[in-house]
Amino acid sequence: MRIATFNINGIKARLPRLIEWLNETQPDVACLQEIKTSDETFPAKDIEAAGYGVIWHGQKGFNGVAILARGQVPQEVRRGLEGEPEDEHSRYLEAEVGGVRIASIYLPNGNPQPGPKFDYKLRWMKRLRTRAAEIWAEEVPAVLAGDYNVIPRDKDTYSVKAMADDALMQPESRAAYRRLLADGWTDALLSRHPQGGVWTYWDYQMNAWPRDAGFRIDHLLLSPAAADRLYDAQVDKDFRGREKASDHAPVWVELQ
């Protein structure tokens, strides 16, 4: 079972690239982030025509997450995180697919920091940890997939100096991510590439893609029952280099 995460950076603008990726790689499940469209204008028919059932949690112009499943419709479990009723951002969607619990996550960026956006990021991470603990306690195979907007280690960026002041790499962001791992979740890509140097994001500016000046912020965290079945985890890097591509590349795990 291949489960992927892909920050699509605007599903309408990248729809041809998305369909192309689905057709070429045929993941069993695909979690999308930054769909940047309202619920009413989500291109469900195009995705269904590619052979995927889909649920989505949209927001006009920014944010937004979706879960696609090949040949079936994901069974929605939850949309949004509890703990902050006034938070209307569309950043979390959870479903059941083929006996696996899957969440699509678009964690707040947090820039500029310090400030209210960074404070919101840390609060959101705390709320995510609460939900993750509830899922973990169910002892089911689970994958928390998405754009976490956290660079976990110095080895996960092309330049520590360039990112030093960014919210993605602050000690508080990293500590919150480490607490998730300490709760019993496995960082799938890290488990396969402990040496680092594997990127999932390349900025559109500063010639980042041709220079391979990227970093790793898209993660798939596995519960113990899923980690026991982990076969592989990789990045579909080539798709970042295609015409009108997202600034992220798809990342995936395969479970036996």
Side-chain angles (χ1 to χ4, degrees):
M1 185 178 191
R2 179 175 289 201
I3 301 168
T5 183
F6 192 2
N7 181 319
I8 199 68
N9 191 18
I11 194 166
K12 293 178 183 176
R14 320 286 172 208
L15 189 59
R17 296 288 79 80
L18 173 62
I19 301 301
E20 181 178 77
W21 170 69
L22 291 173
N23 287 337
E24 290 184 27
T25 67
Q26 297 192 349
D28 297 290
V29 182
C31 297
L32 306 182
Q33 301 86 38
E34 275 201 281
I35 59 175
K36 296 183 179 180
T37 183
S38 67
D39 284 338
E40 294 75 22
T41 57
F42 184 84
K45 290 184 179 179
D46 296 276
I47 291 170
E48 290 165 356
Y52 284 79
V54 58
I55 60 172
W56 61 95
H57 183 23
Q59 187 173 345
K60 186 178 180 180
F62 58 106
N63 299 331
V65 286
I67 300 176
L68 289 60
R70 188 154 55 97
Q72 60 182 301
V73 178
Q75 299 304 302
E76 183 173 323
V77 175
R78 176 180 297 230
R79 59 178 54 211
L81 292 173
E82 295 180 350
E84 206 162 322
E86 65 277 14
D87 182 9
E88 296 181 349
H89 285 194
S90 300
R91 295 183 175 274
Y92 184 88
L93 188 60
E94 184 183 320
E96 196 93 27
V97 181
V100 180
R101 186 74 56 81
I102 297 167
S104 182
I105 294 165
Y106 179 48
L107 206 142
N109 178 284
N111 283 304
Q113 70 82 30
K117 291 187 176 181
F118 189 62
D119 295 340
Y120 169 60
K121 178 191 187 97
L122 297 180
R123 292 197 311 273
W124 205 94
M125 294 186 79
K126 187 176 181 180
R127 291 160 58 201
L128 174 62
R129 186 185 179 200
T130 298
R131 179 57 189 159
E134 294 171 349
I135 297 170
W136 196 92
E138 295 183 40
E139 299 183 355
V140 295
V143 181
L144 308 182
D147 177 358
Y148 280 71
N149 271 314
V150 175
I151 300 170
R153 311 169 301 160
D154 289 355
K155 292 180 179 181
D156 296 318
T157 177
Y158 76 100
S159 171
V160 172
K161 183 179 179 181
M163 300 302 297
D165 295 327
D166 199 284
L168 278 60
M169 218 174 78
Q170 293 311 296
E172 298 92 337
S173 307
R174 286 178 160 183
Y177 186 79
R178 285 197 303 270
R179 282 192 287 271
L180 272 173
L181 300 187
D183 286 341
W185 295 88
T186 295
D187 181 331
L189 203 57
L190 173 62
S191 75
R192 287 296 179 268
H193 301 279
Q195 77 282 359
V198 175
W199 318 140
T200 67
Y201 171 90
W202 298 257
D203 201 294
Y204 289 132
Q205 301 176 348
M206 299 177 63
N207 215 30
W209 170 248
R211 293 191 299 119
D212 197 27
F215 41 84
R216 185 173 77 95
I217 55 175
D218 302 273
H219 311 307
L220 298 109
L221 302 191
L222 311 183
S223 70
D228 286 346
R229 296 164 53 184
L230 177 60
Y231 176 74
D232 201 6
Q234 301 294 341
V235 180
D236 286 337
K237 183 177 178 179
D238 290 350
F239 285 88
R240 173 61 180 85
R242 300 195 182 187
E243 185 180 0
K244 295 183 179 179
S246 170
D247 43 7
H248 295 249
V251 187
W252 52 264
V253 296
E254 281 187 356
L255 305 181
Q256 292 179 322

